[in-house]
Amino acid sequence: MKTKKPMLKETVGALYLAFNTPNERGEFDIATYEETNKSEVVKSISTTENTESTTVRASGKDYKTVSQNASVDHAVEVIAFDPGDVAKMRADKIGKYLIKSGAAGERPYFAFGKVVKKTGNAVEYVWYPKCQLVENTDDIATSEESYSEQNDTLTIRAYAFDAEGNKSVRVNSEMSNFPEGLTEEMFFTKPLTTDEEIETLITPGT
C-alpha cells in the first residue's frame, strides 16, 4: 500500500494576460498573441465549471451519464487592474482622449494564466488560451480613518481552444511529468498548448 501526502495550497500567485491576435477573417487564432502582461494584484480566484450532465436510459435502466463542459468561469478578485486592459477586454472605444463604453461590440479573446503556490515549494501553472471578459465590478466607497481595500472582481470565461474541447493546459510540480528546469517565467512567456512548445522552452534550439 502506498500513502500519498499531497501538498497544501498556500496562496494564489500572479495573473497573466495575453490578448489574441485574430486572423484575417477576424476569428480567434491559437497561433498568434500579443505580448504577455504580468500583474501581481490577485486576492482570490474562484473557478466554476459550466457542465451539463444527461443520463441515457436503455432497457429500463440508466445506461450512461454523459457530461459536457461548455465553459469555465473564473471570478478574479483584484486589488487593482490596468485600466487600459479592462477597456480593451470590454471592447470599449478608446479615442484620442475619451473612452466610450456601453455600445454593442464583440469582446476580444485573450489568454488568461494563473499560478497556484503550495507548501514545499510545489507549484501549478495554468493557461486558459481562449477567454473573454463576461463582466466586471467597478465599486467605490468613501475613505475611513483606517485604510480599507476596495477590490473589484473580473469574471473571465474560458472556452474550448481546440477541436477536442480542451479549456486549459497546466503543469504541476507534484506530478512525475513536470518538465525539469521549467520556471514560472518560462511557462508564461506566451500561451502554450503543446508538449513541443514546452520542449522548446526547456531545451533551447530544439
Side-chain angles (χ1 to χ4, degrees), residues 12-18 36-45 74-78 80-82 85 89 110-115 126-127 154 156 184 188:
V12 63
L15 175 155
Y16 292 86
L17 188 71
T36 301
N37 296 315
K38 176 182 179 180
S39 297
E40 296 179 312
V41 296
V42 184
K43 291 289 288 187
S44 66
I45 300 178
H74 306 276
V76 184
E77 183 185 2
V78 293
F81 205 76
D82 183 86
D85 286 344
M89 294 163 76
F110 55 88
F112 163 63
K114 69 176 183 180
V115 177
V126 189
W127 268 121
L154 307 172
I156 295 171
E184 178 179 334
F188 290 107

Side-chain angles (χ1 to χ4, degrees), residues 62-76:
D62 292 347
Y63 180 76
K64 186 177 182 180
T65 298
V66 180
S67 297
Q68 292 182 320
N69 184 347
S71 60
V72 180
D73 284 354
H74 306 276
V76 184

Side-chain angles (χ1 to χ4, degrees), residues 97-154:
Y97 301 112
L98 298 177
I99 302 171
K100 296 181 179 180
S101 180
E106 185 175 353
R107 295 189 170 186
Y109 288 108
F110 55 88
F112 163 63
K114 69 176 183 180
V115 177
V116 179
K117 297 183 178 181
K118 305 180 182 183
T119 56
N121 294 320
V123 292
E124 183 178 60
Y125 306 142
V126 189
W127 268 121
Y128 295 86
K130 187 179 181 181
C131 300
Q132 283 181 312
L133 179 69
V134 177
E135 61 183 11
N136 65 288
T137 62
D138 189 14
D139 301 330
I140 188 69
T142 189
S143 60
E144 303 291 347
E145 291 183 4
S146 59
Y147 178 76
S148 177
E149 292 181 4
Q150 300 195 40
N151 302 336
D152 287 313
T153 299
L154 307 172

Side-chain angles (χ1 to χ4, degrees), residues 2 7 20 25 31 36-37 45 63 83 99 116 128 140 147 167-168 175 182 201 203:
K2 185 176 182 180
M7 300 299 179
N20 186 255
R25 296 184 299 276
T36 301
N37 296 315
I45 300 178
Y63 180 76
I99 302 171
V116 179
Y128 295 86
I140 188 69
Y147 178 76
K167 315 296 187 300
S168 67
M175 298 183 65
L182 182 70
L201 290 175
T203 312

